């Protein structure tokens, strides 16, 4: 049984507490010991607030679930790994590829599990789309995401939107970045990032991450294959197990050593590849802005 603490109690943190409590029977993996928040809060779903200092020092806390804003992920991961705790963190684990490599090296040095959740790969719609794409040869594609303005602390669009990049890598394999631009209107809380990507077979993909007040949350795709085209994400009925619970079970399998080393290695490689791409996109956007 792994004693767990949840860091941050926004929407994701509250869902984590709910799912952890559902897996708290003697036959399951986790026992919730508390939550951490910058605010002073009452008990959440029967779970009491504790300090970060208490969490890192307690022998009965073995795992930390990091559910804070993106820019504080790295600091929190490092603190818990240094204290000898396993970590499950929302994507992205860090705001640079270099920092992510350092965190993974630290986890390996300490003999700990570092798990970056990717619930976007666990949705019914994505699983259906992956089935539809399987066996087809991509000719070219576009993925245009729109959503509301980002809150402070979520970082550069290539990192805050890394779930979309993860979709593209998981569907079409490792990618390279050929160009990237960023249009920003800070007074309007508007941004539009456009990244030009290339598959290993030299097939072009365009990823657009557009955010601003009033923009609908939507994923618009246009994938052209050798045999057909796909212009909308296939509809799919939701499964009986929620996406956060699916991720929790995956993390549990890593802790218990029941996930194959091949799967663990492939996941780590994909995550680091996406973070490296995000870093490259940011640098190209900064360069294009400086030359204007």
């Amino acid at each position: 049984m792994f004693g767990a603490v949840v860091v941050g109690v926004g929407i994701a943190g509250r869902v984590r507490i709910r799912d952890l409590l559902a897996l708290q029977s003697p036959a399951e993996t986790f026992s919730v010991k508390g939550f951490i928040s910058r605010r002073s809060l009452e008990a959440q779903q029967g779970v009491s607030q504790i300090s970060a200092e208490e969490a890192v020092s307690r022998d009965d806390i073995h795992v930390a679930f990091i559910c804070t804003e993106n820019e504080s992920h790295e600091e929190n991961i490092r603190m818990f790994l240094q204290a000898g705790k396993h970590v499950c963190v929302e994507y992205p684990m860090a705001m640079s590829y270099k920092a992510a490599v350092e965190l993974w090296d630290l986890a390996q040095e300490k003999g700990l599990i570092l798990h970056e959740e990717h619930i976007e790969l666990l949705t019914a719609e994505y699983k259906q789309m992956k089935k539809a794409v399987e066996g087809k040869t991509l000719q070219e594609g576009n993925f245009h995401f729109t959503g509301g303005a980002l809150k402070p602390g979520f970082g550069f669009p290539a990192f805050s939107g890394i779930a979309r990049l993860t979709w593209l890598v998981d569907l079409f394999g490792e990618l390279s970045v050929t160009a990237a631009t960023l249009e920003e209107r800070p007074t309007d809380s508007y941004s539009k990032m456009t990244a030009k990507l290339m598959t290993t077979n030299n097939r072009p993909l365009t990823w657009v991450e557009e955010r601003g007040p009033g923009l609908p949350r939507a994923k618009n795709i246009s994938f052209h294959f050798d045999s057909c085209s796909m212009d909308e994400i296939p509809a799919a009925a939701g499964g009986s197990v929620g996406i956060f619970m699916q991720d929790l079970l995956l993390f549990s399998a890593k802790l218990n050593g029941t996930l194959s080393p091949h799967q663990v290695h492939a996941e780590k490689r994909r995550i680091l590849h996406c973070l490296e791409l995000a870093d490259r996109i940011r640098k190209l956007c900064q360069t294009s802005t400086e030359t204007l």
Side-chain angles (χ1 to χ4, degrees):
M1 181 76 73
F2 291 88
V5 63
V6 175
V7 186
V9 285
I11 294 174
R14 291 194 297 272
V15 172
R16 283 296 189 195
I17 292 173
R18 180 200 69 193
D19 288 350
L20 283 165
L21 289 172
L23 291 180
Q24 198 167 247
S25 71
E28 298 292 355
T29 302
F30 300 103
S31 174
V32 190
K33 302 300 182 181
F35 72 86
I36 297 169
S37 176
R38 289 189 297 264
R39 300 167 288 163
S40 180
L41 299 173
E42 297 178 347
Q44 303 287 307
Q45 304 172 63
V47 178
S48 299
Q49 183 169 4
I50 63 175
S51 68
E53 292 75 17
E54 180 181 348
V56 298
S57 63
R58 280 175 56 172
D59 292 336
D60 64 340
I61 292 179
H62 315 96
V63 177
F65 289 84
I66 311 298
C67 307
T68 60
E69 65 276 1
N70 295 347
E71 289 182 350
S72 67
H73 286 177
E74 179 187 346
E75 177 185 2
N76 279 298
I77 294 169
R78 198 177 298 277
M79 176 178 68
F80 281 102
L81 289 178
Q82 291 284 13
K85 316 296 186 185
H86 304 287
V87 174
C88 173
V89 62
E90 294 180 291
Y91 62 78
M93 68 170 61
M95 305 309 290
S96 74
Y97 169 73
K98 179 176 180 291
V101 171
E102 290 174 356
L103 291 173
W104 234 307
D105 287 347
L106 177 60
Q108 186 171 358
E109 174 190 322
K110 296 277 189 177
L112 298 167
I113 300 297
L114 174 56
H115 172 78
E116 182 182 88
E117 63 93 340
H118 277 281
I119 54 173
E120 75 280 7
L121 300 180
L122 304 175
T123 64
E125 65 172 6
Y126 177 74
K127 291 176 182 178
Q128 189 66 29
M129 182 165 69
K130 187 163 185 178
K131 284 182 183 177
V133 167
E134 191 173 353
K136 296 180 173 63
T137 302
L138 181 74
Q139 299 301 309
E140 64 176 320
N142 289 274
F143 189 0
H144 187 160
F145 173 84
T146 60
L150 278 176
K151 296 177 182 178
F154 280 81
F156 189 80
F159 287 89
S160 63
I162 205 163
R164 268 68 71 185
L165 186 56
T166 301
W167 265 26
L168 294 175
V169 169
D170 195 57
L171 287 171
F172 304 118
E174 294 192 351
L175 305 171
S176 57
V177 186
T178 59
T181 58
L182 177 66
E183 176 190 350
E184 286 186 294
R185 297 199 299 271
T187 55
D188 298 327
S189 299
Y190 173 84
S191 66
K192 183 179 181 180
M193 183 198 75
T194 303
K196 300 291 186 180
L197 309 169
M198 194 73 71
T199 69
T200 56
N201 293 326
N202 294 319
R203 300 302 183 184
L205 279 165
T206 300
W207 169 34
V208 178
E209 191 82 5
E210 185 176 15
R211 284 188 171 272
L215 287 177
R217 187 174 180 85
K219 304 181 188 79
N220 300 292
I221 64 167
S222 179
F223 297 146
H224 301 287
F225 301 98
D226 52 343
S227 57
C228 65
S229 294
M230 183 183 295
D231 294 315
E232 58 183 27
I233 297 171
S240 58
V241 181
I243 53 177
F244 279 96
M245 180 61 85
Q246 291 180 57
D247 179 71
L248 186 56
L249 294 172
L250 178 62
F251 180 45
S252 175
K254 291 180 181 179
L255 291 172
N256 291 317
T258 57
L259 202 66
S260 74
H262 172 76
Q263 188 172 346
V264 172
H265 174 75
E267 183 183 284
K268 177 182 176 181
R269 176 169 175 156
R270 187 203 69 230
I271 289 169
L272 288 177
H273 177 63
C274 288
L275 288 167
E276 190 171 23
L277 291 175
D279 243 349
R280 173 67 175 156
I281 290 168
R282 175 170 56 190
K283 289 172 184 174
L284 287 172
C285 286
Q286 291 170 343
T287 300
S288 66
T289 301
E290 290 168 2
T291 57
L292 293 177

